[in-house]
Amino acid sequence: MCGLGGLARIDGQDLGVESDAILATMARTLAHRGPDAEELLRQGPVGMAFTRLSLVDPENGGQPLYSEDRSVVLIANGEVYNHRELAATLPAGTRFRTGSDCEVLVHLYRHKGLDFLDDVRGMFGLVLWDRRRGVLLLARDHFGVKPLFYTRDSRRIAFASEIKALFADPATPRRVDWDRALVNPTMTSAPSLDLAGPATYFEGVESVPAATILEIDLRDGATRRHTYWQLPDFDGDSTRTDQEIVGEFRELLADSVRACATADVSIGLFLSGGVDSAAVAALAAGTTELRTFSVLSGSTVVNGDARHARLVAGKLGVANHQIRFDAAQAPTADEWKRLLWLTEMPTCSPEQYYKHELHRHVRAEHPEIKGMLLGAAADEFCGGYSGTIAGDSGWEGFEYALTDMARRGRLEDGRPKLAAWWEGTEGGLLTDAALDHGRALRARDPYAAFVAAKMRDVEQFNCWHEDRTAAGSGTEARVPFLDRRLVELVASIPAARRERLLWDKAIIREAVADLLPAEVVHRPKVPFFYGEGVQHTHRPFIEMLTHDGSALVEEALATERGRTMLDADRVRALLRRLADAPLSAHVERLLPLLNLCLLDAMVTELPPPLVESAVLLPAVRPAHPVTDWDTAAPEIESLVFAPSRWTGQSVLAPADHVTLLTDTDGTAYLAVDGSLEYVLEGDGDWTALLHALDGTRTLAEACAERGSAPDSFRQLLDDSLDLGLLRLTEPAAAAPTE
């Protein structure tokens, strides 16, 4: 991993000496991405800044890289996994000056021109200057694993691996793009398929699209866009058997893992406990001395991730370090703002915080590890969301839901006023052909459109945050599932066989079934920290937002856009609700809006370079030794679970918006805001206790009347308070006696 930055005049003029200060600031801003070396170059119309993290040929792999006659100049961030294979295709006598895997790109360009990336496998963002032709090339890998941003006007273009480095150039606008951010699908989580390309969150800043080369003429700024790969249409017609497809998937994934695990430094792996990262671990275990790292938090204990990660590591015989997130420790406002500036994304959330902290631990405790394998992006292309979207409706329900999401996307994109024809009890009288009447009919079936939308998410969200959270600790994230050969294979599956191979990631589970414990192979998909146990994630971030009189929230509300774009009273009311009942709403709904406000302030007054602010971070989270999970569990739970908010002397009552009802058959219900939400056992102990919790007696008294103890209802009481179904109250005053 490296940091790229630079400037170029696109009006036929040369850069002036004043550009040197801009290039130096860019390099300093990107120093966290490349702590091993720094190079600056300014010649004629082009200036380049390069910071290096050395994973291949640490001694002789520096950049810029040059052709033999120095007419081609290249800086690149990432890895070319098949560089040796590509080098073998070059004409005899081709001379390599370094051991860098990226040098092959210079020679490929000399011999193939704009087709030089056609056969490359890897992850990269690159800038190539062809002095003879007077053009500058900006390019990214097939999936956009490695970032590259730019901003331009009629005179110049500035480019960098991270947006913050572009602000070193005074000509770069310093404004958050609220209009585009508020409708971005990763912000809204709208249930529709949005096929628009990824966007940055800053005005005047663009990202080089994945699988694309931008060729810019330095004489007049004329730009040509060359797409060297496209996501397949997923209209597969493969005649191979299911077993043959699964076998080839296994071979290709193993080859991709082997390539990603190859480096001249140590490589680690983030092991979540799900089948995706477990598959990568199983295939990497035999290729490198693997060490794995997992999140040990209240959420990952409840949802089983932590235990299953330990189970996988034990099966494979690899080290597993469980990094503990104590319930008593919440991030500070300054930590959060630094992470937000690192990620440059308003969708920064607890997920990014956890991953950032894992990387920090690895850098502090295992500094020899400079690359980290991930199980990311398997869900997007291998059916990982099928069960989540379909619920209990199976593949047919999944396809029906995709059809509805595709329709919503087309309505939003082109003809929103037609939406009324699909609403209400009479909705659906029109077919989807009405959406395209008089226009070109979209050929993609809903599943193909779904994968295309997920491809957008991979570039906009997955790759973006995986890169930044790793880069913050000078580590390179490597993603074996993002190999075009794997995606092309999955795309070849005929529609009639998708259910067999792609429902709940069957293709992955079957490919590694012989390598992993059956319990892990067949384990249902569990979100990283959402779902069961999510309150243990919400609490620290609610505490962060409410700390010191909600100082961070008030800081966001006090910004110029915060004052005009956010309803402060509603924001504060939601925060109070979350503080009282962390499961009653989603803190992730509030965070993106606060993040936009904070980013607005940051681009106005730029924070210091991340390498300078790193000294202000607290000590890294500790690794908790786990030999036997069952033996260690009680101690772990005492550290990662927040204590219950009630005691036996607490007085509880139903919340004001909650009513306990019983029908004529004796079935009990909890009604929330007038709607029946929960069914209870009519004569169960819990139902009886709820009837007794009327705000007039202590919890211990209510339990004693029924021959039970509060501890026997601990989880139910905790959840009911977290959901806002029960409230803590003071005992009712005794009635005066006459």
Side-chain angles (χ1 to χ4, degrees):
M1 182 192 71
C2 304
L4 311 182
L7 301 165
R9 291 292 294 264
I10 54 175
D11 59 356
Q13 304 298 310
D14 288 344
L15 289 174
V17 68
E18 70 279 358
S19 301
D20 292 345
I22 297 175
L23 294 172
T25 301
M26 282 184 160
R28 185 62 178 164
T29 303
L30 295 169
H32 58 283
R33 298 186 65 88
D36 296 335
E38 174 187 310
E39 292 291 339
L40 302 178
L41 167 74
R42 177 175 61 83
Q43 294 180 353
V46 174
M48 294 178 174
F50 177 77
T51 64
R52 185 188 184 209
L53 176 72
S54 307
L55 279 86
V56 175
D57 190 17
E59 299 300 323
N60 301 303
Q63 298 187 30
L65 298 166
Y66 297 89
S67 60
E68 192 168 357
D69 63 359
R70 301 183 75 83
S71 65
V72 175
V73 186
L74 173 79
I75 53 175
N77 164 35
E79 304 291 333
V80 177
Y81 297 135
N82 62 334
H83 62 100
R84 291 187 178 87
E85 173 187 326
L86 293 169
T89 68
L90 294 170
T94 301
R95 295 177 58 188
F96 284 79
R97 300 175 59 252
T98 75
S100 169
D101 53 289
C102 291
E103 186 179 355
V104 71
L105 299 176
V106 173
H107 301 292
L108 287 171
Y109 174 76
R110 288 295 305 273
H111 290 283
K112 302 179 69 174
L114 286 184
D115 296 332
F116 75 117
L117 298 178
D118 287 1
D119 300 315
V120 172
R121 286 193 294 109
M123 53 178 188
F124 51 83
L126 65 85
V127 180
L128 185 148
W129 176 24
D130 186 334
R131 300 188 197 204
R132 288 190 299 185
R133 295 181 57 227
V135 296
L136 191 73
L137 272 56
L138 309 181
R140 288 174 76 197
D141 61 76
H142 301 78
F143 299 95
V145 177
K146 289 300 172 187
L148 188 57
F149 301 94
Y150 66 94
T151 179
R152 61 182 292 175
D153 54 28
S154 61
R155 297 176 55 253
R156 69 87 179 97
I157 183 170
F159 50 86
S161 296
E162 296 185 13
I163 295 168
K164 60 181 71 67
L166 296 176
F167 297 131
D169 181 3
T172 301
R174 291 191 183 184
R175 293 183 298 274
V176 171
D177 193 340
W178 277 73
D179 289 344
R180 295 176 76 182
L182 290 177
V183 297
N184 191 300
T186 58
M187 285 278 288
T188 64
S189 300
S192 62
L193 301 184
D194 189 323
L195 302 184
T200 75
Y201 301 101
F202 299 87
E203 292 183 14
V205 176
E206 302 294 334
S207 61
V208 177
T212 299
I213 301 169
L214 297 181
E215 184 186 58
I216 304 163
D217 193 316
L218 297 175
R219 293 163 296 188
D220 58 10
T223 302
R224 181 159 61 124
R225 176 170 170 165
H226 174 72
T227 302
Y228 64 86
W229 183 79
Q230 289 184 323
L231 184 72
D233 286 332
F234 280 75
D235 54 353
D237 56 0
S238 175
T239 58
R240 286 168 291 186
T241 67
D242 294 344
Q243 185 176 6
E244 288 171 338
I245 291 175
V246 170
E248 184 174 353
F249 188 92
R250 160 78 168 260
E251 291 176 5
L252 290 175
L253 181 59
D255 186 61
S256 183
V257 169
R258 188 163 42 251
C260 290
T262 299
D264 295 330
V265 295
S266 296
I267 299 291
L269 181 142
F270 282 175
L271 187 59
S272 71
V275 70
D276 304 335
S277 61
V280 175
L283 294 169
T287 65
T288 184
E289 186 178 343
L290 191 65
R291 280 170 286 179
T292 66
F293 302 86
S294 305
V295 170
L296 181 61
S297 69
S299 295
T300 63
V301 169
V302 172
N303 70 20
D305 268 352
R307 183 178 72 83
H308 283 91
R310 184 70 190 85
L311 178 66
V312 170
K315 167 71 173 178
L316 300 177
V318 299
N320 178 235
H321 304 274
Q322 298 257 343
I323 312 307
R324 196 182 71 229
F325 290 74
D326 292 349
Q329 186 177 355
T332 66
D334 286 340
E335 280 183 81
W336 185 255
K337 288 189 288 186
R338 184 181 184 279
L339 177 61
L340 181 59
W341 187 238
L342 168 66
T343 62
E344 307 170 330
M345 51 191 286
T347 49
C348 185
S349 74
E351 178 180 358
Q352 286 69 53
Y353 177 75
Y354 284 134
K355 292 177 178 179
H356 175 256
E357 290 302 293
L358 283 187
H359 282 296
R360 278 218 306 134
H361 173 93
V362 175
R363 171 54 66 195
E365 302 296 332
H366 307 274
E368 70 281 3
I369 295 178
K370 294 186 177 183
M372 193 65 62
L373 298 172
L374 307 175
D379 287 322
E380 282 70 18
F381 299 111
C382 298
Y385 298 105
S386 53
T388 304
I389 292 174
D392 297 327
S393 302
W395 187 264
E396 183 178 354
F398 176 53
E399 290 188 325
Y400 179 85
L402 295 188
T403 300
D404 184 63
M405 293 167 67
R407 181 185 305 118
R408 289 173 182 267
R410 292 160 72 186
L411 285 166
E412 293 168 0
D413 181 46
R415 311 188 75 185
K417 293 182 179 180
L418 283 177
W421 290 104
W422 279 270
E423 298 171 353
T425 56
E426 301 86 5
L429 298 177
L430 290 177
T431 70
D432 288 349
L435 294 171
D436 296 283
H437 182 65
R439 303 188 305 168
L441 187 66
R442 296 192 180 187
R444 277 199 175 107
D445 70 272
Y447 183 79
F450 172 73
V451 177
K454 286 301 173 187
M455 172 70 176
R456 178 194 187 282
D457 291 348
V458 163
E459 186 177 347
Q460 177 80 73
F461 180 75
N462 302 62
C463 291
W464 187 317
H465 84 257
E466 297 290 8
D467 173 84
R468 297 305 192 287
T469 53
S473 296
T475 303
E476 180 171 84
R478 295 186 168 188
V479 195
F481 279 104
L482 288 181
D483 186 308
R484 70 176 185 186
R485 299 170 302 169
L486 286 169
V487 174
E488 289 166 355
L489 175 64
V490 173
S492 74
I493 298 172
R497 294 160 62 193
R498 288 173 183 162
E499 179 178 4
R500 164 68 184 84
L501 291 169
L502 298 178
W503 173 255
D504 195 26
K505 296 187 288 194
I507 192 170
I508 298 176
R509 298 180 189 277
E510 294 179 25
V512 295
D514 62 320
L515 302 177
L516 297 170
E519 181 180 343
V520 174
V521 171
H522 302 295
R523 185 183 178 217
K525 174 178 170 56
V526 176
F528 181 39
F529 59 83
Y530 294 104
E532 189 179 9
V534 68
Q535 68 270 29
H536 299 290
T537 293
H538 283 182
R539 282 196 188 100
F541 292 90
I542 294 168
E543 182 180 339
M544 175 188 76
L545 294 176
T546 57
H547 181 71
D548 192 21
S550 304
L552 184 62
V553 175
E554 295 302 324
E555 180 181 344
L557 292 174
T559 62
E560 180 181 354
R561 292 292 188 96
R563 292 193 298 270
T564 58
M565 301 289 280
L566 270 59
D567 187 318
D569 291 338
R570 288 182 179 271
V571 168
R572 295 179 183 119
L574 176 58
L575 192 58
R576 288 193 297 271
R577 177 181 168 190
L578 285 166
D580 290 337
L583 285 178
S584 64
H586 292 288
V587 68
E588 291 89 350
R589 195 67 173 165
L590 175 60
L591 271 175
L593 297 176
L594 300 177
N595 288 341
L596 280 172
C597 296
L598 295 170
L599 284 170
D600 248 339
M602 290 177 187
V603 297
T604 301
E605 186 174 346
L606 299 179
L610 291 165
V611 292
E612 297 177 11
S613 59
V615 298
L616 304 177
L617 292 172
V620 297
R621 306 276 182 159
H624 192 96
V626 180
T627 303
D628 177 77
W629 183 265
D630 292 335
T631 302
E635 181 189 5
I636 291 172
E637 292 176 3
S638 71
L639 294 167
V640 301
F641 289 171
S644 296
R645 291 186 285 158
W646 53 267
T647 69
Q649 299 307 305
S650 299
V651 178
L652 293 92
D656 293 339
H657 63 294
V658 175
T659 307
L660 183 60
L661 304 171
T662 304
D663 65 16
T664 56
D665 295 328
T667 302
Y669 304 89
L670 278 182
V672 181
D673 291 323
S675 176
L676 296 180
E677 294 290 342
Y678 302 93
V679 181
L680 309 172
E681 293 182 24
D683 57 354
D685 292 341
W686 173 240
T687 303
L689 180 60
L690 287 177
H691 279 289
L693 296 178
D694 57 3
T696 66
R697 70 197 86 187
T698 67
L699 176 60
E701 291 169 343
C703 289
E705 291 175 5
R706 283 147 190 82
S708 59
D711 270 351
S712 61
F713 301 102
R714 180 171 296 277
Q715 191 61 58
L716 289 167
L717 288 166
D718 287 346
D719 289 348
S720 296
L721 284 168
D722 287 344
L723 286 163
L725 303 176
L726 291 176
R727 60 185 173 88
L728 293 164
T729 184
E730 295 297 326
T737 57
E738 296 183 2

